[in-house]
Structure formats: structure tokens, C-alpha cells
Amino acid sequence: MGALNVTARPDLAAPVTEAGSTLLALVGEQTPALRADADERDRTGTFPDKVFEHFGTSGVLGGTVPAELGGLGVGSLHDIALVLEEVARADASAALALHVQFSRGLTLTYEWRHGKPEAAALAERMLRDMATGTARVCGAVKDHPSAVTRLEPDGTGGWLLTGQKTLVSMAPVATHFFAYALVESEGRTCLAAPLIARGTPGLTVLDTWDGLGMRSSGTWDIRFDRCRVPDADVLVRGPVGERGDAALAGQTVSSITMLGIYLGIARAARDAAVEWQRGRSGAPAAVRVLVADVEARLYAARATTAAALAEADALTAEAPDPAVRGPRMMTPFQCAKLTLNRLALDIVNDCLTIVGGASYAGASSLSRLYRDVRAGWFMQPYTYPDAVDYLSARALRIDHDDDYMSTRAARFAGRG
């Protein structure tokens, strides 16, 4: 009988690229500092400014910038998720903020390589600054309930941006914002992504965050009052309501690595509960059952997450057409996200039960993890209701527009 030719699959045990290993080592230098005061920053809602300063000078903030432009060149979604998992084990809020920078690096890299000349030029300019840590770029996507963000001509070839965005993570240290807005172009309402520098007249960063969890992520509001935007700093995404699967590829790449954050929370809870129990003499049978369940659920969560990341990495390399790979990436991503959201929540809940009443105190790290893990259910793409719509429509072959950005914009296109 011949020997089996077995190819190892990524399992989130270690990076699969040299660049990923470098990035993991660099963030590891700061995780002890993050872990040391994570609970205190959670209580005060304080962003870890000093750690992010170090992330900038050490090259971490340029982790997903191509090496040709001065970054570390980490393009493996598996490796980026692994890095975010490591940070989240110390502080999920910091991991969420770091994800924002990594995500912009990935999406701007695509524009640099495949976008129109004007988009490629804007992307290269930003990526070079991100590589040095001087540019920290947020995506300002969700409109505040009070306003629809709009872009209008200023009469001189540029644009004026007005509106307000909410839930913008990493805002305290951001230097630039990509603020998704509605714009009228050639008689149609389109979705655009203007880039606005901090300090632009009319831009106000509002310290409004008082969340249940992710309290030190700097998830603030941004207000725009007729902010001037040069034409070269506007990316037009296409007509609102235009159907197509191409957008799903970019949405997957920009968001799938967040799975590492919630896996990191689950691992941190498991480690805290197991360490607590090991320090006691004996373990009741019920506690041992819970520990076994936690181990099994954590294994399932890691395996599901690793499989979805491996599929996304493979499709990125093998299927150049975004319309082809979009749903083939998004579907395993959503299956993994739905599974991980449930498993991670169950894991953290069981860990609180293992430790008992002490875990319910505000001073317990487990209470922070219990609140942080719930945030995964609200993250696009997709929130739980949207994920149900997406997966069920695909399975049942129900006609459904899966581009949540376009469908959300369509709902507000008629509002003033």
C-alpha cells in the first residue's frame, strides 16, 4: 500500500506565511501591556493610545500593506485572523480597533492592484502612509439615525460632505475616515466613499461611546458639516440598488478576519476558568462536564473558523472574478460566523458558571469577556437577522439582494 499524500490544512495553530509570523511576533510585544490594564480601561472606556503608538512605530499598523509599498505584506486572511485572536485574548477592544486598520489595508490593496487609475493612486498614497504608521484609517459606514450622509458638488470640481456616522471604531487615534455617502451621479443615486482627513474644517470627532461591551475600542461618532473633499479623494462604488455578487468578495475580505476576535474572547474565557479551577482542590462532576463541553466547543469553533478562512484565502488566489468568488467566500464566512457567535457565547457563559459568583463582579475579566462576546452578533456582514436572510435565501433559492451596503443605502436614498 502506497503512502498517503496528506497536505496539512491551516488550523489557526500557527501562521502560514513568514509575513504573518513577523506580524504575530510584533503584536506579541504589546499584548502583556494590553492584558495588564484591560479591565481598568474597560471600566473607564479609555482607548489604549500608547499601545497603538507602538503599533505604529513597530510596523504593526502597516501589517496588511504590500511590501512593495513599505508594509509587512500580510495578505493571508488566516494569518490576520490569528493575529487578531492573539490581541483579543488580551483585550478584544484593542483587537476590534486594530481590525479597522488591517481591513482598510486589505481593501486599499485591492484598489491599488485592480482599481481604476484614480482609485489606485489614492490607494497607493494612503497605503504608503499606513506603512509608516502615520495614517490610521477608519471606515465610517453606519449613518447615525438623525442624518443621512450625503456628498454634493461644491461648484469648483470638488465635493461637500454632510452627515453623521456612528459606531466608528479606532476613532480616537484615526487620521482619516472613509465615510460612505450617497451621491447623485448622471441622474442616479450612487454610493461613494470619500476620504476625509482629521482636521478638515467641519469634521467633528464625538466621544459618544458608552457601550455594553468593547468599551475601550474608541467606537465614536463622526460628524461632517459641509466638509470639503477633493475629487481625487472620492471613490464611487456604483448605483444604489444595483444587483450583483461582486461586492460580497470585498465585504468578506474586509470582515472575515474579525472571526479571530471572537475566537480570542472564547479562548481567554476558557483559560481564565481552567486556571481558576486548577487552583482549587478537586472539581465537582458538574464542573468537569462544563469544562469538557468548553473544550469541545472551542475545538469546533476553531475548526469552523479555520475552514472558512482557508476557503476565503484559496478563492482569493484561484478565482480572480469577484462576482464568481463573492458568494463562494461569503457563504462559508456566514456559516462560520453564525456558528462561532453561538459557540463563543456558550463558552463564555459556561466559564462564568465554572467560576461562579466571583465572575459576575465588575472586577472580573470574565465579566468583560461576557459583554464583549455579544458584540459579534451585531457585526456586519451580517447581523444575525441578515445572516439568516442570506443563508436561507441561498439554500432555498429565494431572490434576495445580499449587498447589505447597497440595500441599506436604498432604504435611505429618499430621505432628506
Side-chain angles (χ1 to χ4, degrees):
M1 181 181 293
L4 292 175
N5 182 13
V6 179
T7 301
R9 299 292 294 175
D11 60 1
L12 290 177
V16 296
T17 67
E18 183 177 346
S21 295
T22 300
L23 182 58
L24 184 62
L26 288 173
V27 299
E29 295 174 0
Q30 290 300 301
T31 50
L34 283 171
R35 184 176 289 107
D37 62 356
D39 293 333
E40 177 60 26
R41 283 187 289 98
D42 174 74
R43 280 190 288 273
T44 60
T46 305
F47 190 83
D49 302 74
K50 292 184 179 179
V51 169
F52 270 72
E53 286 178 13
H54 190 277
F55 280 163
T57 57
S58 66
V60 168
L61 295 183
T64 56
V65 174
E68 304 96 303
L69 301 181
L72 294 179
V74 183
S76 163
L77 299 172
H78 169 278
D79 286 359
I80 298 164
L82 184 61
V83 168
L84 291 174
E85 178 190 357
E86 185 64 20
V87 177
R89 291 176 65 191
D91 180 6
S93 288
L96 179 60
L98 185 57
H99 155 76
V100 171
Q101 179 83 349
F102 286 168
S103 178
R104 296 288 77 74
L106 291 170
T107 55
L108 287 171
T109 294
Y110 183 85
E111 295 287 354
W112 177 60
R113 288 178 173 153
H114 305 287
K116 295 179 180 179
E118 58 272 20
L122 172 58
E124 179 172 344
R125 172 159 47 94
M126 292 309 304
L127 287 167
R128 288 190 182 278
D129 287 343
M130 290 171 70
T132 64
T134 57
R136 298 173 293 280
V137 189
C138 289
V141 176
K142 185 176 177 61
D143 275 334
H144 189 275
S146 66
V148 177
T149 306
R150 296 183 181 275
L151 197 63
E152 299 175 331
D154 67 357
T156 65
W159 301 89
L160 295 174
L161 181 69
T162 300
Q164 184 168 331
K165 295 295 183 179
T166 190
L167 301 178
V168 183
S169 298
M170 199 182 72
V173 297
T175 61
H176 296 78
F177 303 90
F178 271 111
Y180 285 78
L182 296 179
V183 61
E184 299 300 320
S185 177
E186 299 179 354
R188 303 187 67 178
T189 302
C190 295
L191 194 62
L195 177 70
I196 308 94
R198 197 185 193 109
T200 297
L203 187 154
T204 308
V205 181
L206 303 167
D207 182 0
T208 53
W209 184 234
D210 187 21
L212 175 69
M214 299 294 188
R215 290 183 50 79
S216 58
S217 60
T219 303
W220 294 0
D221 282 12
I222 313 296
R223 182 181 297 152
F224 310 102
D225 183 11
R226 296 178 64 80
C227 295
R228 293 192 177 275
V229 186
D231 188 59
D233 288 356
V234 177
L235 299 175
V236 178
R237 295 303 191 191
V240 168
E242 186 176 58
R243 301 289 291 270
D245 286 338
L248 303 185
Q251 290 168 5
T252 299
V253 169
S254 67
S255 300
I256 192 173
T257 59
M258 274 199 296
L259 296 177
I261 298 174
Y262 299 98
L263 192 58
I265 294 172
R267 286 192 64 193
R270 178 267 180 201
D271 291 347
V274 168
E275 181 180 356
W276 184 90
Q277 184 57 47
R278 284 174 179 167
R280 276 132 186 87
S281 56
V287 168
R288 295 185 64 177
V289 170
L290 287 173
V291 170
D293 282 345
V294 165
E295 295 297 286
R297 286 176 176 145
L298 188 56
Y299 178 84
R302 291 179 67 82
T304 302
T305 301
L309 290 163
E311 184 74 5
D313 274 332
L315 285 166
T316 299
E318 298 166 4
D321 184 353
V324 172
R325 73 173 184 270
R328 293 173 60 192
M329 298 170 75
M330 183 62 83
T331 299
F333 170 27
Q334 290 309 306
C335 288
K337 185 176 185 295
L338 202 61
T339 301
L340 179 59
N341 285 161
R342 288 171 171 164
L343 290 175
L345 185 61
D346 287 344
I347 289 167
V348 176
N349 185 62
D350 283 351
C351 288
L352 264 72
T353 304
I354 291 168
V355 173
S359 66
Y360 206 64
S364 169
S365 294
L366 279 169
S367 70
R368 168 172 54 86
L369 297 172
Y370 186 73
R371 289 179 283 104
D372 286 350
V373 77
R374 196 61 179 83
W377 292 72
F378 309 117
M379 296 290 182
Q380 289 280 11
Y382 296 113
T383 65
Y384 177 76
D386 290 342
V388 168
D389 283 350
Y390 174 85
L391 290 172
S392 62
R394 289 279 167 177
L396 298 173
R397 298 180 182 175
I398 297 172
D399 184 48
H400 183 262
D401 187 356
D402 298 316
D403 182 355
Y404 80 97
M405 290 290 297
S406 181
T407 55
R408 174 188 286 171
R411 290 198 299 270
F412 297 108
R415 285 176 51 184

